[in-house]
Amino acid sequence: MDTEAVRSFVRAAELEQLQHAADELGVTQQAFSKRIATLERQLGVQLFTRTARGVELTLDGQAFLPHARGIVTGADRAVTAVTPGSRALRVDVLGFRSAQAVVLHDYWRSHPGVHLDVVTLKANDPRTVVTAIQAGDVDASFRTVTDPAALPPGVRMIHAFDSPLELLVGPRHPLASARTLTPAQLRGHRIWVPGIAPRSEWAEFYDQLVTAFDLCLDGAGPHFGDEVLLDTLAESADVATFVGARDRYVWPASYDLRRIPIVDPVLVYPLSLLLPEHAHPGLRPIINHLRNLPPLTAKAWRPSWGSPAT
């Protein structure tokens, strides 16, 4: 099996765009598409369905993805075994538009010589991520184990940075004209956060948030992607959602969406970094970069595990 074709499949699955994946791997889209087509013929299944927005995995593609990642990891390890120190520092983020990815990009721009590989494991259960760290599949992950006592030996967790929440609404929403909002002003408004995965850190975060401020949070339905969520907000007069202050979202100008800071208190999503006890030396400058981010000085609410001292 052509490992570069498998690598192309994995990257396309992560980015959900053939062109973006081709650009990242340094090949033309035509050559990239041929790789995928050859792999599909070899496997005898269709791995992707093409959509107006890019590509989506078929059921066969979803079944093949974890094994494909194993093939790519094995190939990378084989190369590393004969060329010590050649592998890039591999850091897992929740999504490529997430605050973690934005902060890592800022670090890389100020350290352009760093050999950095930013990946997303697409795992909701933090235990899966811990296993990947133990196996050496990733060097660190911006994930949180909300009960630090549950961390296995050899893996530690440090506070990375705080991500204040903002309310994202369309122009017809009754709160759209607000410059800032307090948690009390959110009561009674439907806040839609689709696809909250059980056992995930964000499921526990939202449970504590709803309890603390008596909010109406709707987690119904699968998450069909940021584009669908933004489409819904633009069209709705009563749906809002939460986004992180550093999260990167792009929408058509005609949507006229509004990002409104939440204050008094600021609602903080605390982000952590999981890493092995004997961490890759390249992580030290990243940790220093995180510690030098401007601290949040306003009155803030955090969940039970969210102390910056974690």
Side-chain angles (χ1 to χ4, degrees):
M1 185 174 291
D2 182 355
T3 56
E4 288 309 303
V6 177
R7 188 186 304 277
S8 298
F9 160 75
V10 170
R11 211 65 188 113
E14 292 173 342
L15 297 178
E16 299 179 341
Q17 290 279 344
L18 295 185
Q19 183 63 64
H20 293 172
D23 291 344
E24 187 174 293
L25 295 179
V27 299
T28 66
Q29 183 170 356
Q30 182 180 13
F32 191 92
S33 297
K34 285 183 178 179
R35 284 184 184 179
I36 300 298
T38 300
L39 183 61
E40 289 178 324
R41 284 197 302 271
Q42 188 174 12
L43 295 172
V45 298
Q46 183 178 351
L47 298 172
F48 293 107
T49 56
R50 276 64 174 177
T51 70
R53 300 183 188 277
V55 292
E56 294 179 355
L57 287 171
T58 63
L59 291 177
D60 288 320
Q62 293 174 35
F64 182 58
L65 181 58
H67 304 288
R69 284 198 175 109
I71 292 170
V72 172
T73 298
D76 288 344
R77 285 179 174 172
V79 173
T80 301
V82 295
T83 53
S86 66
R87 181 173 70 76
L89 175 67
R90 185 174 295 137
V91 181
D92 164 57
V93 297
L94 186 59
F96 293 112
R97 294 179 179 175
S98 66
Q100 309 104 307
V102 171
V103 167
L104 275 183
H105 184 234
D106 289 342
Y107 167 78
W108 180 82
R109 285 195 303 175
S110 61
H111 302 79
V114 171
H115 199 194
L116 182 63
D117 187 10
V118 181
V119 302
T120 177
L121 295 177
K122 294 187 180 292
N124 296 321
D125 190 335
R127 293 176 300 180
T128 303
V129 178
V130 168
T131 299
I133 291 172
Q134 290 175 310
D137 295 338
V138 294
D139 297 300
S141 173
F142 280 95
R143 306 295 179 105
T144 298
V145 175
T146 56
D147 178 10
L151 282 171
V155 177
R156 63 191 178 103
M157 182 173 69
I158 62 173
H159 178 76
F161 62 93
D162 287 331
S163 179
L165 294 190
E166 297 177 336
L167 194 73
L168 182 63
V169 298
R172 297 192 296 128
H173 194 279
L175 299 177
S177 62
R179 296 180 63 112
T180 61
L181 291 165
T182 65
Q185 291 174 296
L186 303 181
R187 290 179 189 144
H189 293 279
R190 179 189 173 203
I191 302 171
W192 188 41
V193 184
I196 298 177
R199 308 184 73 136
S200 64
E201 63 187 83
W202 49 94
E204 187 166 347
F205 172 83
Y206 284 122
D207 282 345
Q208 292 191 25
L209 181 65
V210 166
T211 300
F213 296 102
D214 191 27
L215 302 182
C216 178
L217 192 138
D218 180 5
H223 182 35
F224 286 103
D226 293 337
E227 290 81 3
V228 173
L229 178 61
L230 298 173
D231 292 346
T232 302
L233 294 174
E235 297 167 359
S236 175
D238 62 359
V239 178
T241 195
F242 284 130
V243 295
R246 285 189 175 93
D247 293 346
R248 183 183 293 124
Y249 291 90
V250 179
W251 56 79
S254 60
Y255 282 14
D256 194 22
L257 301 185
R258 324 287 175 83
R259 299 180 67 144
I260 308 172
I262 301 168
V263 299
D264 197 27
V266 175
L267 304 182
V268 167
Y269 193 108
L271 293 161
S272 305
L273 190 68
L274 292 169
L275 64 161
E277 287 290 351
H278 301 290
H280 190 296
L283 286 172
R284 175 50 54 189
I286 291 178
I287 293 171
N288 290 338
H289 176 77
L290 296 174
R291 288 176 175 167
N292 287 325
L293 292 174
L296 181 65
T297 58
K299 177 183 176 184
W301 174 90
R302 295 176 175 86
S304 58
W305 69 88
S307 168
T310 298

